[in-house]
Amino acid sequence: TIDKVNGNTITVTTGQGDTLAVNVTDKTPVLKSVAGSVSDLKPGTHVVVAGDRSGNNISATGIQITDRPAGFDQLFARPTATPTK
């Protein structure tokens, strides 16, 4: 939860109660979600699906539509480990 905004620093409190200072720039992507409906789901739309999977079927508990801004994949990519000897 955002507690305070001061210039390029946003102070947030995590679900665990920790307070963190988040530094942003004018190049920091900010994504905004708004409510939608099933009629918004069309071929070619990028989505993130949450739900229970059984084989090739998912019982969706939520679907997020995204326009996948430039750099989205790199921004949220998980780091990979490099083995060392």
Side-chain angles (χ1 to χ4, degrees):
T1 303
I2 296 176
D3 296 318
K4 180 173 59 172
V5 178
N6 184 11
N8 289 342
T9 302
I10 300 167
T11 304
V12 299
T13 299
T14 68
Q16 293 78 29
D18 297 324
T19 300
L20 304 173
V22 179
N23 300 307
V24 298
T25 70
D26 59 347
K27 295 181 182 181
T28 302
V30 176
L31 308 176
K32 180 179 178 180
S33 296
V34 296
S37 67
V38 174
S39 65
D40 294 319
L41 304 175
K42 299 185 179 5
T45 303
H46 297 283
V47 295
V48 176
V49 177
D52 297 316
R53 182 175 178 171
S54 176
N56 289 330
N57 296 303
I58 298 176
S59 295
T61 56
I63 297 177
Q64 181 179 357
I65 297 173
T66 177
D67 62 359
R68 296 176 56 110
F72 181 84
D73 292 330
Q74 291 77 32
L75 179 66
F76 294 104
R78 294 181 180 191
T80 56
T82 303
T84 58
K85 295 182 180 183

